[in-house]
Amino acid sequence: EGVTVLGEVGVHEERYAEAGSPVEARVIDLLASPGDAVRSGQPLAGLQSMALGATRAAWHTAKARAELATQALERVRGLVAERIVPVREMQEAEAEAKSAQAELRAARAALQAMGVGSGEETSAESDASRFVLRSPIAGTVIAREVSRGQVVDPSRPLFRIADLSRLWLTVHVFERDAVRVSAGTQARV
């Protein structure tokens, strides 16, 4: 004697991820479509963000300032050692170097909060406002909720990805039929 029940097939919750933009951005390129198999870290979309461009520019400026302040400090230390300039100038150079390092740490923290890299690997001519949205897991793109040219924000996912090698089946058994269903009962789906 069998029981006919309604059910639904779903993805394994621990093998499912949503990928979205960490900052407000415009979608420039779509690199994955529903049904595509993707690897972890594989590009899904190319995005462009003015806020990211400004933050990356601030990071590059802070990095250059920190390098310059460190070089100036070393130069002044040498001059102090040779007694060419007063110790006060070295103290001022040390304060400037510390300030520049603090500014660099703040700029790095702002980039980390955005969830994107500094763009340090890109050339000076490349667009610092661009970044690539990557797949957080290996699996299949089960939904793409974005179009080229669309402006997106962090509040909603752009891609839904799941490992479809193992799925969950959830069945809804009526109370009157529950007595005929127990752990280990075979099911035909």
mmCIF file of all heavy atoms in Angstrom, residues 140-186:
data_model
loop_
_atom_site.group_PDB
_atom_site.id
_atom_site.type_symbol
_atom_site.label_atom_id
_atom_site.label_comp_id
_atom_site.label_asym_id
_atom_site.label_seq_id
_atom_site.Cartn_x
_atom_site.Cartn_y
_atom_site.Cartn_z
ATOM 1 N N THR A 140 26.078 25.078 -10.561
ATOM 2 C CA THR A 140 25.332 25.471 -11.754
ATOM 3 C C THR A 140 24.592 26.767 -11.474
ATOM 4 O O THR A 140 23.999 26.926 -10.399
ATOM 5 C CB THR A 140 24.318 24.369 -12.134
ATOM 6 O OG1 THR A 140 25.021 23.148 -12.328
ATOM 7 C CG2 THR A 140 23.560 24.725 -13.397
ATOM 8 N N VAL A 141 24.628 27.688 -12.426
ATOM 9 C CA VAL A 141 23.861 28.935 -12.291
ATOM 10 C C VAL A 141 22.394 28.564 -12.462
ATOM 11 O O VAL A 141 21.979 28.117 -13.530
ATOM 12 C CB VAL A 141 24.296 29.978 -13.344
ATOM 13 C CG1 VAL A 141 23.434 31.228 -13.236
ATOM 14 C CG2 VAL A 141 25.769 30.319 -13.201
ATOM 15 N N ILE A 142 21.618 28.714 -11.397
ATOM 16 C CA ILE A 142 20.198 28.356 -11.487
ATOM 17 C C ILE A 142 19.310 29.574 -11.721
ATOM 18 O O ILE A 142 18.156 29.427 -12.104
ATOM 19 C CB ILE A 142 19.721 27.553 -10.252
ATOM 20 C CG1 ILE A 142 19.951 28.315 -8.959
ATOM 21 C CG2 ILE A 142 20.405 26.204 -10.195
ATOM 22 C CD1 ILE A 142 19.387 27.626 -7.722
ATOM 23 N N ALA A 143 19.875 30.762 -11.515
ATOM 24 C CA ALA A 143 19.114 31.979 -11.802
ATOM 25 C C ALA A 143 20.076 33.137 -12.008
ATOM 26 O O ALA A 143 21.081 33.249 -11.318
ATOM 27 C CB ALA A 143 18.151 32.307 -10.665
ATOM 28 N N ARG A 144 19.756 33.973 -12.979
ATOM 29 C CA ARG A 144 20.477 35.222 -13.209
ATOM 30 C C ARG A 144 19.426 36.313 -13.213
ATOM 31 O O ARG A 144 18.547 36.338 -14.067
ATOM 32 C CB ARG A 144 21.222 35.189 -14.548
ATOM 33 C CG ARG A 144 22.016 36.481 -14.788
ATOM 34 C CD ARG A 144 22.745 36.462 -16.096
ATOM 35 N NE ARG A 144 21.805 36.741 -17.164
ATOM 36 C CZ ARG A 144 22.068 36.561 -18.458
ATOM 37 N NH1 ARG A 144 23.221 36.059 -18.832
ATOM 38 N NH2 ARG A 144 21.176 36.861 -19.367
ATOM 39 N N GLU A 145 19.522 37.213 -12.251
ATOM 40 C CA GLU A 145 18.485 38.227 -12.066
ATOM 41 C C GLU A 145 19.014 39.616 -12.372
ATOM 42 O O GLU A 145 18.787 40.563 -11.615
ATOM 43 C CB GLU A 145 17.947 38.118 -10.649
ATOM 44 C CG GLU A 145 17.354 36.744 -10.395
ATOM 45 C CD GLU A 145 16.946 36.501 -8.962
ATOM 46 O OE1 GLU A 145 16.961 37.455 -8.162
ATOM 47 O OE2 GLU A 145 16.619 35.360 -8.658
ATOM 48 N N VAL A 146 19.719 39.729 -13.510
ATOM 49 C CA VAL A 146 20.326 40.996 -13.874
ATOM 50 C C VAL A 146 20.472 41.054 -15.386
ATOM 51 O O VAL A 146 20.567 40.022 -16.053
ATOM 52 C CB VAL A 146 21.696 41.151 -13.166
ATOM 53 C CG1 VAL A 146 22.677 40.135 -13.650
ATOM 54 C CG2 VAL A 146 22.232 42.551 -13.305
ATOM 55 N N SER A 147 20.480 42.261 -15.912
ATOM 56 C CA SER A 147 20.666 42.488 -17.351
ATOM 57 C C SER A 147 21.829 43.437 -17.560
ATOM 58 O O SER A 147 22.163 44.239 -16.678
ATOM 59 C CB SER A 147 19.409 43.125 -17.953
ATOM 60 O OG SER A 147 18.287 42.332 -17.724
ATOM 61 N N ARG A 148 22.430 43.370 -18.713
ATOM 62 C CA ARG A 148 23.518 44.291 -19.063
ATOM 63 C C ARG A 148 22.990 45.723 -19.006
ATOM 64 O O ARG A 148 21.910 46.022 -19.475
ATOM 65 C CB ARG A 148 24.045 43.960 -20.459
ATOM 66 C CG ARG A 148 25.256 44.807 -20.847
ATOM 67 C CD ARG A 148 25.835 44.384 -22.189
ATOM 68 N NE ARG A 148 26.621 43.169 -22.002
ATOM 69 C CZ ARG A 148 26.359 42.012 -22.605
ATOM 70 N NH1 ARG A 148 25.360 41.903 -23.433
ATOM 71 N NH2 ARG A 148 27.115 40.958 -22.383
ATOM 72 N N GLY A 149 23.768 46.609 -18.383
ATOM 73 C CA GLY A 149 23.390 48.012 -18.262
ATOM 74 C C GLY A 149 22.596 48.339 -17.013
ATOM 75 O O GLY A 149 22.425 49.505 -16.679
ATOM 76 N N GLN A 150 22.143 47.330 -16.311
ATOM 77 C CA GLN A 150 21.337 47.547 -15.114
ATOM 78 C C GLN A 150 22.213 48.046 -13.962
ATOM 79 O O GLN A 150 23.346 47.622 -13.794
ATOM 80 C CB GLN A 150 20.663 46.232 -14.725
ATOM 81 C CG GLN A 150 19.713 46.324 -13.576
ATOM 82 C CD GLN A 150 19.006 44.992 -13.331
ATOM 83 O OE1 GLN A 150 19.146 44.051 -14.092
ATOM 84 N NE2 GLN A 150 18.250 44.920 -12.258
ATOM 85 N N VAL A 151 21.665 48.967 -13.164
ATOM 86 C CA VAL A 151 22.355 49.436 -11.963
ATOM 87 C C VAL A 151 21.917 48.530 -10.819
ATOM 88 O O VAL A 151 20.728 48.302 -10.616
ATOM 89 C CB VAL A 151 22.020 50.909 -11.655
ATOM 90 C CG1 VAL A 151 22.653 51.332 -10.339
ATOM 91 C CG2 VAL A 151 22.504 51.808 -12.788
ATOM 92 N N VAL A 152 22.909 47.996 -10.085
ATOM 93 C CA VAL A 152 22.629 47.051 -9.005
ATOM 94 C C VAL A 152 23.198 47.584 -7.696
ATOM 95 O O VAL A 152 24.055 48.452 -7.687
ATOM 96 C CB VAL A 152 23.234 45.661 -9.322
ATOM 97 C CG1 VAL A 152 22.586 45.073 -10.566
ATOM 98 C CG2 VAL A 152 24.736 45.743 -9.510
ATOM 99 N N ASP A 153 22.680 47.052 -6.600
ATOM 100 C CA ASP A 153 23.198 47.431 -5.282
ATOM 101 C C ASP A 153 23.358 46.168 -4.438
ATOM 102 O O ASP A 153 22.883 45.104 -4.813
ATOM 103 C CB ASP A 153 22.286 48.462 -4.608
ATOM 104 C CG ASP A 153 20.883 47.938 -4.366
ATOM 105 O OD1 ASP A 153 20.752 46.911 -3.664
ATOM 106 O OD2 ASP A 153 19.921 48.552 -4.846
ATOM 107 N N PRO A 154 24.013 46.279 -3.293
ATOM 108 C CA PRO A 154 24.304 45.102 -2.477
ATOM 109 C C PRO A 154 23.094 44.422 -1.853
ATOM 110 O O PRO A 154 23.215 43.322 -1.331
ATOM 111 C CB PRO A 154 25.215 45.650 -1.364
ATOM 112 C CG PRO A 154 25.749 46.925 -1.876
ATOM 113 C CD PRO A 154 24.707 47.470 -2.797
ATOM 114 N N SER A 155 21.939 45.033 -1.913
ATOM 115 C CA SER A 155 20.778 44.488 -1.215
ATOM 116 C C SER A 155 20.136 43.279 -1.902
ATOM 117 O O SER A 155 19.318 42.601 -1.302
ATOM 118 C CB SER A 155 19.717 45.575 -1.028
ATOM 119 O OG SER A 155 19.168 45.951 -2.282
ATOM 120 N N ARG A 156 20.501 43.007 -3.149
ATOM 121 C CA ARG A 156 19.857 41.863 -3.812
ATOM 122 C C ARG A 156 20.874 41.042 -4.606
ATOM 123 O O ARG A 156 21.826 41.585 -5.163
ATOM 124 C CB ARG A 156 18.712 42.309 -4.700
ATOM 125 C CG ARG A 156 19.090 43.123 -5.889
ATOM 126 C CD ARG A 156 17.835 43.591 -6.647
ATOM 127 N NE ARG A 156 18.205 44.067 -7.947
ATOM 128 C CZ ARG A 156 18.250 43.312 -9.041
ATOM 129 N NH1 ARG A 156 17.932 42.051 -8.978
ATOM 130 N NH2 ARG A 156 18.607 43.824 -10.197
ATOM 131 N N PRO A 157 20.645 39.726 -4.646
ATOM 132 C CA PRO A 157 21.564 38.855 -5.384
ATOM 133 C C PRO A 157 21.386 38.992 -6.890
ATOM 134 O O PRO A 157 20.281 39.240 -7.382
ATOM 135 C CB PRO A 157 21.182 37.451 -4.917
ATOM 136 C CG PRO A 157 19.758 37.571 -4.495
ATOM 137 C CD PRO A 157 19.589 38.971 -3.968
ATOM 138 N N LEU A 158 22.480 38.826 -7.614
ATOM 139 C CA LEU A 158 22.434 38.882 -9.071
ATOM 140 C C LEU A 158 22.417 37.480 -9.670
ATOM 141 O O LEU A 158 21.822 37.254 -10.717
ATOM 142 C CB LEU A 158 23.658 39.648 -9.595
ATOM 143 C CG LEU A 158 23.893 41.027 -8.984
ATOM 144 C CD1 LEU A 158 25.112 41.681 -9.611
ATOM 145 C CD2 LEU A 158 22.669 41.891 -9.122
ATOM 146 N N PHE A 159 23.107 36.554 -9.005
ATOM 147 C CA PHE A 159 23.186 35.167 -9.466
ATOM 148 C C PHE A 159 22.881 34.241 -8.296
ATOM 149 O O PHE A 159 23.266 34.516 -7.161
ATOM 150 C CB PHE A 159 24.599 34.843 -9.987
ATOM 151 C CG PHE A 159 24.968 35.562 -11.252
ATOM 152 C CD1 PHE A 159 25.491 36.840 -11.206
ATOM 153 C CD2 PHE A 159 24.796 34.960 -12.488
ATOM 154 C CE1 PHE A 159 25.839 37.514 -12.364
ATOM 155 C CE2 PHE A 159 25.136 35.621 -13.647
ATOM 156 C CZ PHE A 159 25.658 36.902 -13.590
ATOM 157 N N ARG A 160 22.212 33.130 -8.611
ATOM 158 C CA ARG A 160 21.982 32.063 -7.635
ATOM 159 C C ARG A 160 22.675 30.826 -8.196
ATOM 160 O O ARG A 160 22.427 30.445 -9.344
ATOM 161 C CB ARG A 160 20.495 31.823 -7.427
ATOM 162 C CG ARG A 160 19.786 33.050 -6.866
ATOM 163 C CD ARG A 160 18.280 32.811 -6.690
ATOM 164 N NE ARG A 160 17.568 34.046 -6.475
ATOM 165 C CZ ARG A 160 17.442 34.666 -5.320
ATOM 166 N NH1 ARG A 160 17.997 34.160 -4.252
ATOM 167 N NH2 ARG A 160 16.774 35.796 -5.212
ATOM 168 N N ILE A 161 23.526 30.227 -7.373
ATOM 169 C CA ILE A 161 24.346 29.106 -7.819
ATOM 170 C C ILE A 161 24.143 27.951 -6.856
ATOM 171 O O ILE A 161 24.115 28.154 -5.629
ATOM 172 C CB ILE A 161 25.836 29.504 -7.863
ATOM 173 C CG1 ILE A 161 25.997 30.672 -8.834
ATOM 174 C CG2 ILE A 161 26.711 28.339 -8.281
ATOM 175 C CD1 ILE A 161 26.959 31.686 -8.395
ATOM 176 N N ALA A 162 24.027 26.735 -7.388
ATOM 177 C CA ALA A 162 23.841 25.558 -6.540
ATOM 178 C C ALA A 162 24.588 24.376 -7.130
ATOM 179 O O ALA A 162 24.728 24.250 -8.346
ATOM 180 C CB ALA A 162 22.361 25.227 -6.411
ATOM 181 N N ASP A 163 25.043 23.513 -6.255
ATOM 182 C CA ASP A 163 25.623 22.229 -6.653
ATOM 183 C C ASP A 163 24.445 21.275 -6.805
ATOM 184 O O ASP A 163 23.801 20.919 -5.816
ATOM 185 C CB ASP A 163 26.593 21.747 -5.577
ATOM 186 C CG ASP A 163 27.199 20.396 -5.901
ATOM 187 O OD1 ASP A 163 26.810 19.778 -6.919
ATOM 188 O OD2 ASP A 163 28.062 19.951 -5.120
ATOM 189 N N LEU A 164 24.143 20.880 -8.016
ATOM 190 C CA LEU A 164 22.962 20.060 -8.290
ATOM 191 C C LEU A 164 23.255 18.563 -8.236
ATOM 192 O O LEU A 164 22.394 17.748 -8.580
ATOM 193 C CB LEU A 164 22.376 20.434 -9.658
ATOM 194 C CG LEU A 164 21.946 21.896 -9.798
ATOM 195 C CD1 LEU A 164 21.398 22.162 -11.195
ATOM 196 C CD2 LEU A 164 20.935 22.288 -8.731
ATOM 197 N N SER A 165 24.453 18.184 -7.777
ATOM 198 C CA SER A 165 24.785 16.762 -7.710
ATOM 199 C C SER A 165 24.026 16.065 -6.588
ATOM 200 O O SER A 165 23.883 14.855 -6.588
ATOM 201 C CB SER A 165 26.297 16.566 -7.514
ATOM 202 O OG SER A 165 26.707 17.109 -6.276
ATOM 203 N N ARG A 166 23.518 16.836 -5.638
ATOM 204 C CA ARG A 166 22.747 16.275 -4.532
ATOM 205 C C ARG A 166 21.622 17.248 -4.206
ATOM 206 O O ARG A 166 21.868 18.408 -3.861
ATOM 207 C CB ARG A 166 23.657 16.088 -3.322
ATOM 208 C CG ARG A 166 23.019 15.352 -2.207
ATOM 209 C CD ARG A 166 24.065 15.027 -1.158
ATOM 210 N NE ARG A 166 23.431 14.422 -0.018
ATOM 211 C CZ ARG A 166 24.016 14.280 1.143
ATOM 212 N NH1 ARG A 166 25.246 14.687 1.305
ATOM 213 N NH2 ARG A 166 23.384 13.726 2.135
ATOM 214 N N LEU A 167 20.389 16.786 -4.320
ATOM 215 C CA LEU A 167 19.223 17.637 -4.094
ATOM 216 C C LEU A 167 18.434 17.156 -2.893
ATOM 217 O O LEU A 167 18.595 16.026 -2.433
ATOM 218 C CB LEU A 167 18.322 17.629 -5.335
ATOM 219 C CG LEU A 167 18.972 18.109 -6.629
ATOM 220 C CD1 LEU A 167 18.042 17.880 -7.799
ATOM 221 C CD2 LEU A 167 19.352 19.574 -6.525
ATOM 222 N N TRP A 168 17.553 17.986 -2.394
ATOM 223 C CA TRP A 168 16.663 17.628 -1.304
ATOM 224 C C TRP A 168 15.252 17.479 -1.862
ATOM 225 O O TRP A 168 14.808 18.254 -2.714
ATOM 226 C CB TRP A 168 16.628 18.717 -0.248
ATOM 227 C CG TRP A 168 17.853 18.789 0.619
ATOM 228 C CD1 TRP A 168 18.969 18.012 0.533
ATOM 229 C CD2 TRP A 168 18.067 19.690 1.690
ATOM 230 N NE1 TRP A 168 19.863 18.371 1.482
ATOM 231 C CE2 TRP A 168 19.349 19.414 2.227
ATOM 232 C CE3 TRP A 168 17.320 20.705 2.255
ATOM 233 C CZ2 TRP A 168 19.873 20.099 3.302
ATOM 234 C CZ3 TRP A 168 17.864 21.397 3.322
ATOM 235 C CH2 TRP A 168 19.122 21.095 3.839
ATOM 236 N N LEU A 169 14.551 16.486 -1.363
ATOM 237 C CA LEU A 169 13.144 16.290 -1.703
ATOM 238 C C LEU A 169 12.345 16.506 -0.427
ATOM 239 O O LEU A 169 12.549 15.818 0.569
ATOM 240 C CB LEU A 169 12.890 14.872 -2.240
ATOM 241 C CG LEU A 169 11.429 14.510 -2.485
ATOM 242 C CD1 LEU A 169 10.822 15.401 -3.571
ATOM 243 C CD2 LEU A 169 11.301 13.050 -2.854
ATOM 244 N N THR A 170 11.479 17.468 -0.447
ATOM 245 C CA THR A 170 10.620 17.760 0.701
ATOM 246 C C THR A 170 9.206 17.358 0.322
ATOM 247 O O THR A 170 8.663 17.840 -0.679
ATOM 248 C CB THR A 170 10.653 19.267 1.047
ATOM 249 O OG1 THR A 170 12.013 19.656 1.248
ATOM 250 C CG2 THR A 170 9.848 19.558 2.285
ATOM 251 N N VAL A 171 8.618 16.433 1.101
ATOM 252 C CA VAL A 171 7.249 15.982 0.815
ATOM 253 C C VAL A 171 6.324 16.461 1.921
ATOM 254 O O VAL A 171 6.740 16.652 3.064
ATOM 255 C CB VAL A 171 7.172 14.441 0.666
ATOM 256 C CG1 VAL A 171 7.953 13.995 -0.538
ATOM 257 C CG2 VAL A 171 7.648 13.740 1.905
ATOM 258 N N HIS A 172 5.087 16.645 1.562
ATOM 259 C CA HIS A 172 4.063 17.114 2.494
ATOM 260 C C HIS A 172 3.054 15.981 2.664
ATOM 261 O O HIS A 172 2.241 15.718 1.776
ATOM 262 C CB HIS A 172 3.392 18.377 1.954
ATOM 263 C CG HIS A 172 4.377 19.438 1.563
ATOM 264 N ND1 HIS A 172 5.010 20.229 2.487
ATOM 265 C CD2 HIS A 172 4.863 19.812 0.357
ATOM 266 C CE1 HIS A 172 5.840 21.055 1.871
ATOM 267 N NE2 HIS A 172 5.766 20.818 0.572
ATOM 268 N N VAL A 173 3.121 15.323 3.822
ATOM 269 C CA VAL A 173 2.255 14.180 4.101
ATOM 270 C C VAL A 173 1.098 14.657 4.970
ATOM 271 O O VAL A 173 1.307 15.297 6.006
ATOM 272 C CB VAL A 173 3.052 13.069 4.830
ATOM 273 C CG1 VAL A 173 2.154 11.878 5.137
ATOM 274 C CG2 VAL A 173 4.249 12.647 4.007
ATOM 275 N N PHE A 174 -0.111 14.323 4.531
ATOM 276 C CA PHE A 174 -1.285 14.665 5.336
ATOM 277 C C PHE A 174 -1.269 13.836 6.610
ATOM 278 O O PHE A 174 -0.737 12.724 6.643
ATOM 279 C CB PHE A 174 -2.579 14.413 4.556
ATOM 280 C CG PHE A 174 -2.772 15.356 3.402
ATOM 281 C CD1 PHE A 174 -2.650 14.900 2.102
ATOM 282 C CD2 PHE A 174 -3.063 16.695 3.614
ATOM 283 C CE1 PHE A 174 -2.813 15.763 1.031
ATOM 284 C CE2 PHE A 174 -3.231 17.570 2.550
ATOM 285 C CZ PHE A 174 -3.105 17.098 1.259
ATOM 286 N N GLU A 175 -1.876 14.368 7.640
ATOM 287 C CA GLU A 175 -1.877 13.706 8.944
ATOM 288 C C GLU A 175 -2.465 12.299 8.853
ATOM 289 O O GLU A 175 -1.948 11.362 9.450
ATOM 290 C CB GLU A 175 -2.673 14.572 9.934
ATOM 291 C CG GLU A 175 -2.533 14.147 11.369
ATOM 292 C CD GLU A 175 -3.224 15.104 12.322
ATOM 293 O OE1 GLU A 175 -3.260 16.315 12.052
ATOM 294 O OE2 GLU A 175 -3.723 14.621 13.338
ATOM 295 N N ARG A 176 -3.505 12.103 8.067
ATOM 296 C CA ARG A 176 -4.153 10.783 7.965
ATOM 297 C C ARG A 176 -3.230 9.755 7.313
ATOM 298 O O ARG A 176 -3.388 8.563 7.504
ATOM 299 C CB ARG A 176 -5.463 10.906 7.196
ATOM 300 C CG ARG A 176 -5.294 11.268 5.739
ATOM 301 C CD ARG A 176 -6.626 11.284 4.980
ATOM 302 N NE ARG A 176 -6.421 11.626 3.599
ATOM 303 C CZ ARG A 176 -6.468 12.833 3.096
ATOM 304 N NH1 ARG A 176 -6.747 13.852 3.878
ATOM 305 N NH2 ARG A 176 -6.241 13.050 1.810
ATOM 306 N N ASP A 177 -2.243 10.220 6.497
ATOM 307 C CA ASP A 177 -1.313 9.311 5.824
ATOM 308 C C ASP A 177 0.002 9.147 6.578
ATOM 309 O O ASP A 177 0.804 8.280 6.240
ATOM 310 C CB ASP A 177 -1.003 9.830 4.413
ATOM 311 C CG ASP A 177 -2.241 9.859 3.534
ATOM 312 O OD1 ASP A 177 -3.100 8.975 3.696
ATOM 313 O OD2 ASP A 177 -2.339 10.779 2.687
ATOM 314 N N ALA A 178 0.204 9.949 7.604
ATOM 315 C CA ALA A 178 1.491 9.945 8.307
ATOM 316 C C ALA A 178 1.790 8.608 8.968
ATOM 317 O O ALA A 178 2.953 8.224 9.090
ATOM 318 C CB ALA A 178 1.527 11.054 9.342
ATOM 319 N N VAL A 179 0.783 7.865 9.353
ATOM 320 C CA VAL A 179 1.009 6.566 10.010
ATOM 321 C C VAL A 179 1.620 5.545 9.051
ATOM 322 O O VAL A 179 2.240 4.581 9.478
ATOM 323 C CB VAL A 179 -0.303 6.012 10.620
ATOM 324 C CG1 VAL A 179 -0.780 6.898 11.746
ATOM 325 C CG2 VAL A 179 -1.370 5.849 9.568
ATOM 326 N N ARG A 180 1.473 5.751 7.757
ATOM 327 C CA ARG A 180 2.020 4.808 6.763
ATOM 328 C C ARG A 180 3.422 5.192 6.289
ATOM 329 O O ARG A 180 3.991 4.507 5.462
ATOM 330 C CB ARG A 180 1.081 4.734 5.557
ATOM 331 C CG ARG A 180 -0.244 4.068 5.929
ATOM 332 C CD ARG A 180 -1.066 3.828 4.706
ATOM 333 N NE ARG A 180 -2.233 4.705 4.831
ATOM 334 C CZ ARG A 180 -2.966 5.113 3.839
ATOM 335 N NH1 ARG A 180 -2.704 4.760 2.632
ATOM 336 N NH2 ARG A 180 -3.996 5.878 4.052
ATOM 337 N N VAL A 181 3.949 6.292 6.824
ATOM 338 C CA VAL A 181 5.274 6.749 6.443
ATOM 339 C C VAL A 181 6.177 6.732 7.672
ATOM 340 O O VAL A 181 5.820 7.242 8.713
ATOM 341 C CB VAL A 181 5.233 8.185 5.870
ATOM 342 C CG1 VAL A 181 6.614 8.683 5.508
ATOM 343 C CG2 VAL A 181 4.302 8.239 4.660
ATOM 344 N N SER A 182 7.356 6.100 7.527
ATOM 345 C CA SER A 182 8.295 6.050 8.657
ATOM 346 C C SER A 182 9.713 6.181 8.107
ATOM 347 O O SER A 182 9.936 6.095 6.898
ATOM 348 C CB SER A 182 8.126 4.738 9.438
ATOM 349 O OG SER A 182 8.405 3.642 8.571
ATOM 350 N N ALA A 183 10.661 6.349 9.007
ATOM 351 C CA ALA A 183 12.060 6.478 8.607
ATOM 352 C C ALA A 183 12.487 5.222 7.846
ATOM 353 O O ALA A 183 12.176 4.102 8.245
ATOM 354 C CB ALA A 183 12.937 6.689 9.835
ATOM 355 N N GLY A 184 13.174 5.442 6.726
ATOM 356 C CA GLY A 184 13.662 4.326 5.926
ATOM 357 C C GLY A 184 12.670 3.833 4.879
ATOM 358 O O GLY A 184 13.012 2.947 4.074
ATOM 359 N N THR A 185 11.475 4.393 4.846
ATOM 360 C CA THR A 185 10.490 4.010 3.836
ATOM 361 C C THR A 185 10.987 4.404 2.464
ATOM 362 O O THR A 185 11.476 5.515 2.260
ATOM 363 C CB THR A 185 9.136 4.695 4.117
ATOM 364 O OG1 THR A 185 8.674 4.341 5.401
ATOM 365 C CG2 THR A 185 8.088 4.303 3.075
ATOM 366 N N GLN A 186 10.886 3.485 1.504
ATOM 367 C CA GLN A 186 11.326 3.808 0.140
ATOM 368 C C GLN A 186 10.282 4.682 -0.540
ATOM 369 O O GLN A 186 9.099 4.592 -0.256
ATOM 370 C CB GLN A 186 11.521 2.518 -0.660
ATOM 371 C CG GLN A 186 12.720 1.719 -0.227
ATOM 372 C CD GLN A 186 12.978 0.549 -1.160
ATOM 373 O OE1 GLN A 186 12.213 0.275 -2.062
ATOM 374 N NE2 GLN A 186 14.093 -0.119 -0.934
#
